[in-house]
Each structure stands twice: as C-alpha cells, then as structure tokens.
Amino acid sequence: MPIYSDSRLSMYEECPFKYKLRYRDNIKRDIEGVEGFLGSRVHETLKKCYDDLRLTRLDTLSDLLAYYNKIWQENWNDSIIIVKADLTQAHYRALGEKMIETYYNRYAPFDQDITMGTELGLNFPLDDDSKYRMRGYIDRLSRTQDGTYEIHDYKTSAHLPGQQDVDNDRQLGLYHIGVQKKWPAIENIRLIWHYVAFYEELVSYRTPEAISSLIQNTKSLIDEIEAAEDFPPRESALCDWCEYPDLCPMRKHLYTVEALPVNEYLKEPGVTLVNKYVALKDEVKRIGEEIQKVREAILEYARKEGVEVIKGSDCKARVKFEEKLKFPGKNDEERQELDNTIIEAGKWTEVSQLDTTALTDAIESGLWSKDLIDKVMKYGRIETTDSVRISKLSDEEK
Ligand code: SF4
C-alpha cells in the first residue's frame, strides 16, 4: 500500500478522476496556480526567518522582503497560471509582501517559543502493523515555556475557516499523531493555523477520542481509495486550477475549443450542436408559453360562451370543468400529519407504493446491511441512461 498524505486524501475527496490521473496513472504536470506559487514563497520566507533565528540572527522585515522578492523572481516561470483575469503577477507578489509584513509585525522578535524544526518531515503508521502509513511536513514545530509543543501551519488562502472547521481539520490532526509517534514522551500539543492574510491565528486541540476517531476515519478512507474501481470526475470551483483539463471529460472540450480562432470555433461540430440544441430548446419554451396562453383563452371562451366543444378548421377542442379531490403535496406542511393518520389507521400499504428513487439512493449510499442490499439487488438491473443539461458558461469558461 502506498504512503498517503493529507493532500493525497483530499485530492481523492475533491475529485476521484483527478486522483486517478495523478496517483493511479502517474501523470505529473508541471503546472502551478499563482496562489500555490505565492503560498510556497511565503512559506520559504517564514522558514528562513525561523531558521536564521535558530542561528541567533534576527532578520529585519526588509531582509525578509528582499529574500521573498529574490526567490519570487528566481522561481517565476511561464507555466504558472493566473486564473483571475483582472489580476496580475504584481498583485499576487504584493499580496505576499503584505502577508509577510503582517506576520512580522505580529510576532517579531519571535520570542514566544523555541523552534524545534521547520519543514519538519513526518512518516508514521496509523496502526501497529504499519499497513497504513502517512507522511507530511510541519511548517514549524515549537515548544513553549510551559512545555507545550505547537504545530504551526501557515495558510495564505483568501478564505478564513470557522473554529469548527479547524477542530475537524484532518491535516494538523494527523501531524499531531505523527509528532506523538516520533516523540512518545510529548504530552501537550497545540495546533495553530496562521491565516496570514487575515492577521488571524486559529488554535485547536485534539482529545484522545478525537485522535482515535481520526485514525479510524482515515483508515476507512484509505481502504475506500484502495478498493476504488470507479473514479468519476467531480466538478467544483477547483476545476479552474486543475492541471488536467485536456484529459478530463468535464473540461476537455472547453480546453480544445478555447484555442481555436472565432471563425473555426463557431464551425466546430460540438459547438454547432450545442448552439442548435439551445436555440431549439428556447423555441420549445417560447411555444410552450404560447400554448399555455391560448389554452387559457380557450377555457375563458368556453366559460363565457357556455360551450364545451369549440370547433376549429380541422379539429375541435373539448373543454371540461370538473372538481377533483386533492391532498397536500410531498412538501406541504400538513403532509406529515396526513401520512401519520393513515399509518396509525393501519391503511398505509393500501395507498402507498415503493419509491424506487429513494430505494436507489439507499442502495448507492450503502446505508443498508449488505444482506438486505443483496436481497434487493436480485430485482435491480443496470441500465444506461443519458441526459443533456444546458447551463451558462462561467466567466472563466468563456
Ligand atoms: S477539471 Fe475538475 S472534474 Fe476534471 S479532473 Fe480536474 S478537478 Fe476533476
């Protein structure tokens, strides 16, 4: 079994197809988003700050900014992508400077604790047989005066999570386990996230119960990944930063036609078909609305003239007004009361029938026992269905 990392697990959760390309098919791409590039340079700069400090040198803010700009320039290359069209390399570079300045002003002269290591590598098992192994890098491990060890993680993202999110965060929870495995004598561990764009520090602790449940959940997820045969693409906001648009069924066509000049683009068979389909659907919608209006006019005419049959040139319309018994719909407030009344009267099976959509959901989510699923599946069959859904292109996709 391979050694897992939190980022590897997250990739599977975010998009199984991307995971397959990266880890099963081993396709590596030398593409990086500017946000990731910025994060790496800020991390390297803060690492330098604490590494120098361990050698008794206190860097000034100008030293760190000079270093940051130097490594930015040295590492910048054409494969770095900027998704947000209204921002430039200079905006991101300045943002990184601001983060370093904010961090520096908050923590200088950095004497709150003793740094035990920066970019500290961990490689540890989750179980006694070393079947499930994890690896990771702690941005900074430190020890405070009261003997508490602190696992620090620098976050340069533009999103500040809530306390509950960090209390459930897997990455630093795993590092907690890794540190305890490496140094079993350590008792108190504090997890700290530095959200450098927000001048914010989020803190969390892990109880022994939380650690056991984290180990269990992580092992289950690894088992699921190891057993997976189906890796569906899962579209999300992260697709704009994905390095596999040319291989992904959700993005391949967008990627291919984006490179075509307008005159060729409009003639491309896929583009032509979608444009035609949308035009026809619009026409159907317009006709549907028109039919509805004429229908209402026919009913109104019948009411006014007191007739039930209206003659046209080749056809006639038969109009019927009748009263029908209606009950509250599925989402109406009174529906539950109605259901209960029938169930309590023991008449439920006389008026209800199996909801096969709910049954499919129950089977697919695996919530029922295997025994029951096997019994039910004797009646199930796999059929290929298809659908074409139309949606607007996002700004990034245009
Ligand atoms: S483009 Fe989106 S759906 Fe496709 S592989 Fe990448 S992340 Fe997954």
Side-chain angles (χ1 to χ4, degrees), residues 146 148-150 163 166-169 172-173 176 187-193 202-208 210-211:
D146 67 1
T148 300
Y149 280 73
E150 293 180 333
Q163 185 61 41
V166 296
D167 286 342
N168 293 322
D169 180 82
L172 262 58
H176 178 127
E187 282 179 5
N188 298 325
I189 297 179
R190 186 182 294 139
L191 310 178
I192 306 179
W193 292 259
L202 294 174
V203 178
S204 181
Y205 300 86
R206 292 293 178 273
T207 60
I211 291 295

Side-chain angles (χ1 to χ4, degrees), residues 15 17-18 21 233-235 238-239 242 244 248 250-251:
C15 176
F17 187 74
K18 182 174 176 184
L21 293 173
R234 190 171 294 151
E235 265 192 306
L238 298 173
C239 291
C242 180
Y244 303 107
C248 171
M250 312 303 281
R251 290 274 163 152

Side-chain angles (χ1 to χ4, degrees), residues 31-156:
I31 298 173
E32 190 181 13
V34 67
E35 295 83 355
F37 179 85
L38 158 72
S40 300
R41 303 297 82 82
V42 171
H43 276 71
E44 284 161 17
T45 306
L46 296 179
K47 173 173 163 45
K48 171 185 163 49
C49 172
Y50 285 102
D51 285 349
D52 285 350
L53 208 64
R54 288 166 81 194
L55 298 169
T56 72
R57 176 191 152 103
L58 174 61
D59 289 317
T60 63
L61 177 59
S62 322
D63 291 336
L64 293 182
L65 291 177
Y67 178 76
Y68 166 78
N69 279 301
K70 177 171 153 297
I71 55 174
W72 181 287
Q73 211 155 348
E74 283 169 359
N75 288 282
W76 184 265
N77 61 75
D78 292 343
S79 65
I80 295 158
I81 43 174
I82 300 177
V83 172
K84 297 192 169 117
D86 53 339
L87 295 178
T88 64
Q89 183 196 157
H91 286 116
Y92 287 97
R93 187 164 167 163
L95 176 63
E97 285 181 351
K98 185 98 187 53
M99 289 178 183
I100 292 163
E101 191 182 336
T102 305
Y103 188 91
Y104 194 95
N105 289 337
R106 175 161 186 168
Y107 297 104
F110 310 102
D111 54 3
Q112 298 84 0
D113 52 23
I114 298 167
T115 297
M116 312 301 289
T118 55
E119 284 295 311
L120 191 75
L122 293 172
N123 186 328
F124 57 96
L126 293 175
D127 57 333
D128 294 341
D129 302 332
S130 283
K131 181 179 163 200
Y132 302 89
R133 290 202 73 86
M134 299 295 305
R135 69 152 67 101
Y137 290 90
I138 297 180
D139 287 343
R140 188 169 77 92
L141 180 69
S142 71
R143 195 183 66 224
T144 58
Q145 275 190 345
D146 67 1
T148 300
Y149 280 73
E150 293 180 333
I151 295 173
H152 299 265
D153 199 56
Y154 310 126
K155 295 289 186 201
T156 53

